[in-house]
Structures are given as structure tokens and as C-alpha cells.
Amino acid sequence: MIDILNDEYYMQLALELARKAQGQTGINPVVGCVVVKDGRIIGVGTHLKRGTGHAEVHALKMAGDEAEGATVYVTLEPCSHHGKTPPCCERIIEAKASRVVVATEDPNPQVAGRGIKRLREAGIDVTVGLLGDKSNAMNEKFNKYITTRLPFVTLKTASTLDGKIASRTGDSRWVTGAAAREQVHTLRHQHEAIMVGIETVLADDPQLTTRAAVDAIDPVRIIVDSKLRLPLAARVVTDRSARTLVLATEGADESKRTDLEQAGVEVIACGAGPHVDLKLAMLKLGELEIGSILLEGGGRLNGAMLAAGLIDKVILYYAAKIIGGSDAPGTFTFDGFAKMADAIQLTDVHVELAGADICVTGYPQYGEQ
């Protein structure tokens, strides 16, 4: 007899294992696995890094011979194809597990139900859908990239209550408090790339690395710089701890491009117009297997990305401050809409405190682009 309460308990454990690996798996999903037999946990596993063993492999290795007749709880459908590692469904079959509980099917076209089908063909009882919404939310970046080959873009901004990201003099240190800034470093760790505009680099000379409380892989740095104004002395150029990509136009200065490339920067031409073609840029970044981007742009880049329908998620930090200034830069700078009814609506909105600051998370809904 299936015990739903126990099933949820063990799947929650598997989801927690997966959550702890966020930011470590690159374009791969985060996956957790728990193996249970006679009411005892005999194996646990997490996918820790692309190209290494999947969660099921680690958990079954821990379980050993006891895995025969056990129930395997896994947050994503076991793979059925040979990629960088062997198929996990075959490993489960070899272990002679009697039941597998899967949170959600894998949207990867190479899997897409095939792993579940293979397990059932082998006589294993398979239950699908338990806490699937939580698994899908955790893998929202992977789910978009694997089905579209486009990066999932999360916009992060910090502004005052009146929507200013800096004062009229350009001062922006600090809009929000320490708790919000610490969360931002965690966000950087959870994305494969950070994207800013050239104005941000010229104004602040940021390093754009992760300063998390744990050892972290620094994300790729992406600078939108149509005319290649990036100084060779900028820290994103001189600091080699992370890869730096510059998005420019085809007409950008060729000698400056050569200088940047000799300094270790990768320059990518995105369109022949006066400004970077952002939609083309997303295609090219996807081809480079960059599956997720944290956008930390100024108002113009934020506005251009939003107007192009390229932002998938927004995380907006608001400090309990009002600074004013008609010339002070705002969160979004673009032509906007003539009618309030046409405004971009956020769905699945969540509001919480980050220290003394307010954090609003939501998903933009776009009309026809």
C-alpha cells in the first residue's frame, strides 16, 4: 500500500538535497535522490557537477546490495540516454529497486518520458508527479534552456521606494543593506553568468564575482558594450578569476577588439545596427551553453531587455528610502506604454523582507513581441 505522507517526507528530503546544489551543476538540472527500504534511508545522493555521477548513482552506491526491493525517490525523471554519464534508469534496474517515485518528467527531448517508460518496461512500479511543482520551480533555468536553447534571464535591481537606482549625482553605495547584498552574492552563485551594461562598468568598475559564504564558482561576466568603450584597465578585464564576454556590434572599433581579445576578453558581434541586438545576443549566448543569466544592468539595459521580452524573472529590492531627483536614474528606462492596461504584469508575485529592505519576486507576462 502506498503511504502518501511518507512519500512526501522522503521527496522533501530529496528536494532539499537538490536545493543545496544550486549553482554547481551548470546547464544541468539540480537533482536529489533518496533510497528507502523498510522505513530506513539507506542511500542519499545529489548531482554535484556537470559530467559527474547523477543523484541516483550516488544514492544507489551508498545503498549497495540493500537497494534490491527498495523505493527510490528522485526529483527528476532518471535519464535514459548516454550523455556525459551512463543512463540512470539502467542503474536503477540493475540495483533491482522495486519502486521509483519521480517528482516530475524531464523536459529534455532526449529523455521526455523515456526513462519512466524504460523503468516500467523492466517491471518497476513508477509514481510520477509528487511535489513536481517544487522540482520544476527549482529547475526553472534548466527547463527553459533545455527546451529553447536560450538562457533564463533573472533581473535583479536595488532601488529606493521611488524607483531610483542611484542619486542624481550617480551615487549608489549603498541603496540596500547588508542582508540584501548578501542575497545578491547567493544569486550570482546560482546563475552561470552576470550581465551588465558598459555604463555600469564605467561608473563603478565592478569585479562582478561571487563573494558567497561558501566556495563558489565565479559566473561568466557579460558586458553589453556596443562601441567597445570598455577600458583595458577595468577590473573585469584585468581580473582573470572569471571569464569575460563583451557583446558589441559588427561596426565596433576593430583595433579595440584586438586589444581586448589579447587581454583575454571574448568579443561577440551581435548585429550591424548602432546597438547590440539583444535577441541575437541571447541566441549566441545559448550556443555557448550559457543557460542562465543574472541581469544587473542600469536603467537603459534593463528597459531594453524588458521591452524585448527577454527577462524571465524579476527580483526587485526596495530600500525604505526616498531620494527624488528628476535626473536620478531609475530601474527601467525605455519608451514605455501609452496605457496602463498595456503595462507588463507580474505573476506569481512573492514579497518578503531582506533585513530592512523589501524584496519583490515575480515573472513578467508579455504580449506579442
Side-chain angles (χ1 to χ4, degrees), residues 143-328:
N143 290 348
K144 179 186 178 182
Y145 179 76
I146 203 64
T147 55
T148 67
R149 294 294 166 179
L150 294 171
F152 184 98
V153 179
T154 304
L155 166 73
K156 186 282 302 179
T157 66
S159 68
T160 57
L161 287 178
D162 51 337
K164 306 297 184 181
I165 60 176
S167 72
R168 57 183 174 79
T169 65
D171 179 46
S172 61
R173 291 179 182 261
W174 296 103
V175 177
T176 53
R181 296 198 298 273
E182 186 66 27
Q183 288 183 10
V184 170
H185 287 296
T186 299
L187 283 171
R188 288 180 175 181
H189 173 58
Q190 293 174 348
H191 289 76
E192 293 174 69
I194 303 171
M195 181 170 162
V196 301
I198 184 60
E199 296 296 343
T200 296
V201 176
L202 295 176
D204 301 332
D205 192 23
Q207 197 168 356
L208 298 181
T209 52
T210 297
R211 295 185 289 279
V214 297
D215 289 340
I217 301 170
D218 285 320
V220 176
R221 298 174 291 209
I222 302 171
I223 317 299
V224 181
D225 182 12
S226 298
K227 299 179 181 178
L228 290 182
R229 294 186 290 150
L230 179 63
L232 293 173
R235 293 202 290 176
V236 293
V237 177
T238 61
D239 174 21
R240 299 295 184 89
S241 65
R243 181 181 176 192
T244 298
L245 308 180
V246 173
L247 308 180
T249 62
E250 294 174 9
D253 185 274
E254 195 61 37
S255 63
K256 183 63 176 291
R257 175 181 182 136
T258 300
D259 290 343
L260 287 169
E261 289 178 338
Q262 288 179 345
V265 174
E266 299 170 58
V267 180
I268 303 172
C270 300
H275 302 290
V276 166
D277 182 332
L278 293 171
K279 290 186 177 182
L280 177 59
M282 293 302 110
L283 285 169
K284 291 195 172 187
L285 293 172
E287 290 171 357
L288 292 174
E289 294 193 336
I290 294 175
S292 61
I293 296 171
L294 183 64
L295 174 61
E296 296 191 67
R300 279 186 285 183
L301 180 56
N302 292 346
M305 288 286 288
L306 189 71
L310 298 175
I311 296 174
D312 298 290
K313 182 177 183 178
V314 298
I315 301 176
L316 311 174
Y317 288 95
Y318 292 98
K321 303 173 183 176
I322 297 172
I323 196 166
S326 58
D327 295 328

Side-chain angles (χ1 to χ4, degrees), residues 25-219:
T25 58
I27 59 171
N28 281 11
V30 291
V31 183
C33 181
V34 176
V35 183
V36 179
K37 186 175 183 179
D38 298 328
R40 295 184 301 115
I41 295 174
I42 58 174
V44 295
T46 309
H47 179 44
L48 297 173
K49 184 181 178 182
R50 186 185 183 198
T52 64
H54 289 184
E56 302 95 315
V57 173
H58 293 304
L60 289 169
K61 183 177 181 181
M62 181 184 292
D65 293 339
E66 284 193 89
E68 183 173 353
T71 297
V72 177
Y73 296 86
V74 61
T75 60
L76 189 68
E77 175 183 2
C79 62
S80 58
H81 66 291
H82 283 271
K84 291 182 178 292
T85 58
C88 289
C89 62
E90 298 300 331
R91 180 68 180 84
I92 293 171
I93 292 168
E94 290 171 7
K96 299 180 180 179
S98 63
R99 181 170 176 249
V100 177
V101 181
V102 178
T104 186
E105 289 189 9
D106 191 334
N108 184 346
Q110 291 184 297
V111 184
R114 293 183 181 89
I116 293 168
K117 181 182 178 182
R118 177 71 184 99
L119 292 171
R120 285 175 172 157
E121 287 174 346
I124 296 174
D125 178 22
V126 182
T127 301
V128 182
L130 181 64
L131 303 183
D133 55 339
K134 293 188 177 182
S135 178
N136 282 324
M138 199 177 296
N139 279 314
E140 60 187 2
K141 305 179 192 72
F142 166 77
N143 290 348
K144 179 186 178 182
Y145 179 76
I146 203 64
T147 55
T148 67
R149 294 294 166 179
L150 294 171
F152 184 98
V153 179
T154 304
L155 166 73
K156 186 282 302 179
T157 66
S159 68
T160 57
L161 287 178
D162 51 337
K164 306 297 184 181
I165 60 176
S167 72
R168 57 183 174 79
T169 65
D171 179 46
S172 61
R173 291 179 182 261
W174 296 103
V175 177
T176 53
R181 296 198 298 273
E182 186 66 27
Q183 288 183 10
V184 170
H185 287 296
T186 299
L187 283 171
R188 288 180 175 181
H189 173 58
Q190 293 174 348
H191 289 76
E192 293 174 69
I194 303 171
M195 181 170 162
V196 301
I198 184 60
E199 296 296 343
T200 296
V201 176
L202 295 176
D204 301 332
D205 192 23
Q207 197 168 356
L208 298 181
T209 52
T210 297
R211 295 185 289 279
V214 297
D215 289 340
I217 301 170
D218 285 320

